[in-house]
């Protein structure tokens, strides 16, 4: 909302002393008096703040809060219990907290800046809560950065060092890692609780007492700014985690490329791990892309001068996008995540009886045989397949990429404990091998908690 210099005539001078009146106005370049709100010109960057913060940050933030809430519900279900899903749940919680704080710090005040709406929030509520919201936002940001690094480290061990994964990638260790990261983030950002103080002034237009924020003496100390605000922030938030993320993800990327070339030689479990690593690789890439501009802004502030206002605006918007987009990545790349999402939140009448239907009862996407790829190719070439080595129940067998797939002929799947129809007599050794293969497959399915 544009305010002309003629609007200053509406001020009731009887309620002002000369010093207070002088503090609420500044002299413009044309010699006119420009009104001030909390020692800032009210017409500065109001349109850009409203578009970036008041519109985009609020809308993207609301979408991200809904998406992260759905992610937390799905990842917290019993069948999804695993170390990686616990870390992703913690990441969704921190992203949600960061989005809520971003809306309260940037989104809602920007609405007043251009429209004049939410005056009470801007000058009464906001100054009283910002001293707590700002440190909490910094804590959430640190936790988000290092949880992303922990997820990458977990995938690096699972993909590149699978023998050590059982001992390192456990649910208990994931809980400890989250606790350590939260404690570190809180201790590191503890001084920020004493960086802001509040003072009062009379509003130039409405003649009411408003609250304004001002940096404390500690926050204005040059040594504190140079060491803690600039250098430590640069190393803790950006340099160390970015370098570590790039090193680990390059190793994961090389392993994924090698695995894709040798896909037929991988076990079913290894394929799941590679697929999960690919999905989380996308999460990290989006994280790095969205934090490049904030990194440049921090470097500009540390080594040159205060960055341009547009750079800070876009950097905050990108951080908001990064905290809102993981849900979309999970839906696109996570088969089990998508299946549970459709079952919980989408009506079944929109789906047919296909594989992606929530009511489609299946153990997994394919039955896995105990035959090797060489045996399978040889048996197909000679026109026979050793039935004692398969899990199929006289159904059609399709060969694709060296794996055996079973297509159900009947309208409904058979129960896990019975055969759909009688099969020819088998020897005891054949029945034993079939039973062992099915039991091991069921154990693998019950333990499958990947996305």
């Amino acid at each position: 909302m544009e305010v002309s210099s003629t609007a200053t005539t509406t001020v009731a001078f009887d309620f002002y002393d000369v010093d207070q009146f002088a503090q609420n106005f500044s002299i413009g370049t044309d010699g006119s008096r420009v009104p001030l709100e909390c020692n800032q010109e009210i017409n500065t960057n109001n349109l850009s703040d409203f578009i970036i913060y008041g519109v985009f940050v609020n809308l993207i933030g609301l979408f991200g809060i809904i998406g992260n809430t759905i992610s937390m519900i799905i990842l917290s279900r019993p069948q999804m219990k695993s170390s990686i899903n616990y870390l992703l749940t913690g990441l969704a919680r921190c992203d949600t907290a960061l989005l809520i704080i971003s809306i309260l710090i940037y989104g809602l005040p920007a609405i007043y800046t251009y429209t004049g709406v939410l005056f009470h929030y801007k000058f009464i509520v906001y100054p009283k809560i910002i001293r707590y919201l700002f440190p909490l936002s910094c804590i959430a940001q640190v936790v988000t950065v290092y949880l992303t690094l922990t997820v990458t480290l977990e995938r690096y061990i699972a993909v590149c060092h699978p023998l050590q994964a059982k001992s390192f990638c456990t649910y208990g260790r994931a809980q400890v890692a989250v606790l350590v990261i939260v404690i570190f983030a809180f201790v590191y950002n503890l001084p920020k609780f004493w960086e802001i103080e509040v003072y009062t002034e009379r509003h130039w237009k409405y003649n009411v007492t408003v609250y304004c924020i001002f940096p404390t003496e500690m926050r204005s100390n040059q040594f504190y700014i140079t060491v803690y605000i600039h250098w430590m922030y640069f190393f803790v938030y950006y340099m160390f985690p970015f370098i570590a993320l790039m090193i680990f993800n390059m190793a994961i990327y090389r392993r994924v490329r090698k695995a894709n070339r040798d896909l037929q030689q991988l076990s079913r479990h290894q394929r799941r791990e590679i697929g999960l690593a690919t999905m989380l690789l996308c999460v990290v890439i989006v994280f790095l892309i969205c934090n490049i501009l904030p990194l440049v802004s921090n470097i500009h502030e540390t080594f040159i001068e205060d960055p341009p206002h547009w750079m800070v605006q876009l950097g905050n918007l990108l951080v908001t996008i990064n905290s809102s987009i993981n849900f979309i990545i999970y839906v696109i790349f996570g088969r089990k995540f998508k299946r549970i999402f459709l079952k919980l939140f989408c009506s079944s009448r929109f789906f047919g009886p296909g594989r992606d239907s929530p009511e489609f009862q299946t153990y997994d996407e394919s039955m896995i045989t105990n035959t090797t790829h060489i045996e399978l190719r040889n048996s197909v070439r000679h026109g026979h397949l050793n039935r004692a080595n398969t899990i199929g129940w006289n159904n059609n067998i399709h060969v694709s990429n060296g794996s055996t797939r079973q297509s159900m002929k009947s309208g409904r799947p058979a129960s896990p404990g019975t055969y759909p129809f009688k099969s020819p007599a088998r020897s005891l050794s054949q029945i034993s091998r079939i039973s062992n293969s099915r039991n091991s497959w069921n154990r693998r399915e019950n333990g499958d908690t990947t996305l």
Side-chain angles (χ1 to χ4, degrees), residues 17-258:
D17 56 32
V18 176
D19 294 336
Q20 180 66 48
F21 178 79
Q23 293 175 359
N24 290 334
F25 290 87
S26 65
I27 305 300
T29 56
D30 57 353
S32 62
R33 290 176 300 182
V34 179
L36 301 177
E37 290 179 340
C38 293
N39 203 31
Q40 292 183 352
E41 296 183 7
I42 62 176
N43 295 329
T44 304
N45 301 313
N46 56 350
L47 180 59
S48 60
D49 280 348
F50 174 73
I51 294 175
I52 295 179
Y53 294 146
V55 177
F56 288 114
V57 168
N58 286 331
L59 293 179
I60 295 174
L62 290 176
F63 170 80
I65 291 171
I66 297 173
N68 289 329
T69 302
I70 295 175
S71 298
M72 287 186 283
I73 294 174
I74 295 176
L75 294 173
S76 300
R77 294 184 65 82
Q79 63 266 37
M80 299 291 284
K81 184 177 180 180
S82 66
S83 60
I84 187 65
N85 290 343
Y86 183 82
L87 295 175
L88 294 179
T89 303
L91 183 61
R93 290 170 181 169
C94 290
D95 284 337
T96 303
L98 193 59
L99 290 173
I100 294 174
I101 295 174
S102 296
I103 292 175
L104 295 176
I105 292 181
Y106 301 110
L108 297 183
I111 295 178
Y112 167 80
T113 304
Y114 186 72
T115 65
V117 182
L118 299 179
F119 174 86
H120 185 270
Y121 177 82
K122 169 69 174 179
F123 292 104
I124 305 299
V125 178
Y126 172 80
K128 294 181 179 179
I129 64 176
I130 186 62
R131 62 169 64 184
Y132 307 107
L133 292 181
F134 175 66
L136 290 177
S137 67
C138 297
I139 292 173
Q141 188 176 2
V142 172
V143 174
T144 299
V145 170
Y146 282 89
L147 274 182
T148 304
L149 179 59
T150 305
V151 167
T152 302
L153 180 61
E154 200 270 356
R155 282 298 89 195
Y156 169 78
I157 295 175
V159 172
C160 300
H161 302 281
L163 297 179
Q164 287 77 30
K166 289 185 178 180
S167 59
F168 283 96
C169 303
T170 62
Y171 195 83
R173 289 181 182 272
Q175 291 178 313
V176 173
V178 172
L179 180 61
V180 170
I181 291 173
V182 171
I183 294 176
F184 166 74
F186 178 79
V187 173
Y188 174 79
N189 290 284
L190 194 60
K192 296 185 182 298
F193 284 93
W194 291 275
E195 288 187 0
I196 299 174
E197 61 182 0
V198 179
Y199 69 95
T200 60
E201 70 176 35
R202 301 291 291 183
H203 193 266
W204 68 275
K205 181 178 180 180
Y206 300 107
N207 193 26
V208 295
T209 300
V210 296
Y211 295 88
C212 303
I213 60 176
F214 189 78
T216 61
E217 183 178 354
M218 180 185 71
R219 180 60 175 81
S220 302
N221 184 273
Q222 190 60 41
F223 178 79
Y224 178 83
I225 294 175
T226 303
V227 176
Y228 181 75
I229 301 298
H230 289 167
W231 286 103
M232 291 186 65
Y233 183 88
F234 174 72
F235 281 101
V236 173
Y237 279 77
Y238 293 109
M239 186 173 180
F240 171 72
F242 271 48
I243 293 176
L245 283 172
M246 287 187 289
I247 292 175
F248 288 129
N249 280 280
M250 285 300 298
I252 294 174
Y253 175 73
R254 288 195 296 266
R255 182 67 183 90
V256 169
R257 286 193 60 184
K258 184 178 183 300

